[in-house]
Amino acid sequence: LAPPAGTAPPPVRARLLRYFVRRAARIFPLYALVIISAWARHPRSLGVPIDTPALWRHLALLEGRDLYWSVPVEFKYYVLIPAVAWLLARPLAAGFKLVGAALALAGLAWAYPPWETPQNSVTLGYYLPVFLCGSLAAWVAARHLAGPAGTSAPCPQDAVASWFDALVLAALLASIPALDRLAGPGVRAG
């Protein structure tokens, strides 16, 4: 929520703390309840037996067996979202942001090839392109909806934004591991 008119926004530290607390409060309590329930029902748990050591690894977001893998990955991205938002808010030309995004996505694809994604991995690197593309798509949508000088009119004069939109969509599609499997072995490196 925005501060009341005529008041200064809270300091960055306060806003970051509020952001992290709200994200954790939105997801972690239910996740913890499900993990603890699975542990309490061990070995007849919710399809995934959770013993005591696994309980602590899951609650510390270090492990995500079977259907529990996505919450640790999501939390790791929540730590990066403020930096991504800060970078996208910098007063740089969209072209510089386009090149930066392309380099970041290419670097991630090289470091974490989608076809090598381990099943149920809680390593953020394999999923980071998808999260980044979502953040970039939100940024592009906000730019197009806001228009020049805060109006609600679109800003067609920024041709770079259209190229950026195409790059975001292409990167999103290219980063989906299932699409890579459909492309066949001839497309894969190594």
Side-chain angles (χ1 to χ4, degrees), residues 37-122:
S37 297
W39 169 76
R41 294 180 46 96
H42 179 77
R44 302 175 323 279
S45 62
L46 308 170
V48 182
I50 303 283
D51 58 14
T52 302
L55 168 72
W56 294 114
R57 287 190 306 272
H58 277 77
L59 291 176
L61 305 174
L62 299 173
E63 185 176 331
R65 288 187 196 163
D66 211 51
L67 56 105
Y68 305 122
W69 69 270
S70 66
V71 173
V73 173
E74 186 175 349
F75 265 99
K76 290 173 184 177
Y77 187 63
Y78 286 160
V79 172
L80 292 182
I81 287 176
V84 171
W86 181 83
L87 287 170
L88 290 174
R90 296 298 87 208
L92 294 172
F96 285 118
K97 292 177 184 179
L98 171 69
V99 169
L103 290 173
L105 291 171
L108 286 166
W110 179 79
Y112 299 97
W115 57 87
E116 292 180 5
T117 304
Q119 187 174 2
N120 301 322
S121 172
V122 296

Side-chain angles (χ1 to χ4, degrees), residues 176-188:
I176 299 173
L179 290 180
D180 177 69
R181 289 186 192 99
L182 292 174
V187 176
R188 296 183 187 145

Side-chain angles (χ1 to χ4, degrees), residues 142-158:
R143 284 175 43 90
H144 285 302
L145 295 176
T151 67
S152 59
C155 47
Q157 72 275 12
D158 191 359

